[in-house]
Structures are given as C-alpha cells and as structure tokens.
Amino acid sequence: MKEQSLLYKVIYQITDCEVHKLYKFTKGKTQWWYSPHYDTIMAMTTGERPLPFMKKHPEIDDWIFVLETVAGKIMIK
C-alpha cells in the first residue's frame, strides 16, 4: 500500500468527521495531533495537548501538533 502524507491523513480525518456529522470537531476550534508511534490522528477541542494514547504505556507521549481548524476550515499558523 502506498504511504500517505501526514497532511493527507489529517485532512481525511477532518472530512470523515464532517461526513459522520461529528459537529464537536467541525464547529469551533479544533487542534489536530498525530502520534507517529501509533500512527493515529487525535482531535482536541480543549486547546491542550492529548494525554498519552495508552495508559499502560505513559512513556510513549509523542504527540505532534499538525494544524488547527476553525469551523472546519484549516488555519495555518
């Protein structure tokens, strides 16, 4: 399978939230984070960095801020 860019993965996740009407993440401000270890995207509406993905492995805290959306629109800082 072809490797996908991080930006593509995040944009796909944003679109997926819109399709499934997850308004919590498509209305207002949402920060999108990526964990390379788990290859997982996390959406946060609190403005804070996510906690470690798995409680049994708190030492793996590798979240990388990717981008922020406001009302579903990408905001580049």
Side-chain angles (χ1 to χ4, degrees):
M1 180 174 210
K2 185 179 169 188
E3 190 84 20
Q4 296 174 338
S5 74
L6 177 56
L7 190 56
Y8 176 84
K9 290 179 184 183
V10 172
I11 292 172
Y12 179 83
Q13 197 72 25
I14 294 167
T15 305
D16 198 42
C17 285
E18 290 173 351
V19 167
H20 294 291
K21 297 182 172 47
L22 299 172
Y23 297 119
K24 177 180 181 180
F25 303 115
T26 58
K27 307 289 181 193
K29 281 188 179 181
T30 303
Q31 298 78 36
W32 299 86
W33 296 81
Y34 175 70
S35 169
H37 182 80
Y38 294 106
D39 191 29
T40 300
I41 306 293
M42 177 78 70
M44 297 292 287
T45 58
T46 61
E48 297 177 6
R49 181 188 169 129
L51 295 173
F53 189 66
M54 297 185 74
K55 290 182 182 180
K56 65 181 178 179
H57 299 294
E59 67 278 3
I60 302 172
D61 187 12
D62 62 347
W63 292 107
I64 300 168
F65 177 78
V66 180
L67 56 88
E68 182 174 74
T69 55
V70 176
K73 307 231 184 311
I74 296 174
M75 307 305 289
I76 305 295
K77 292 184 177 184

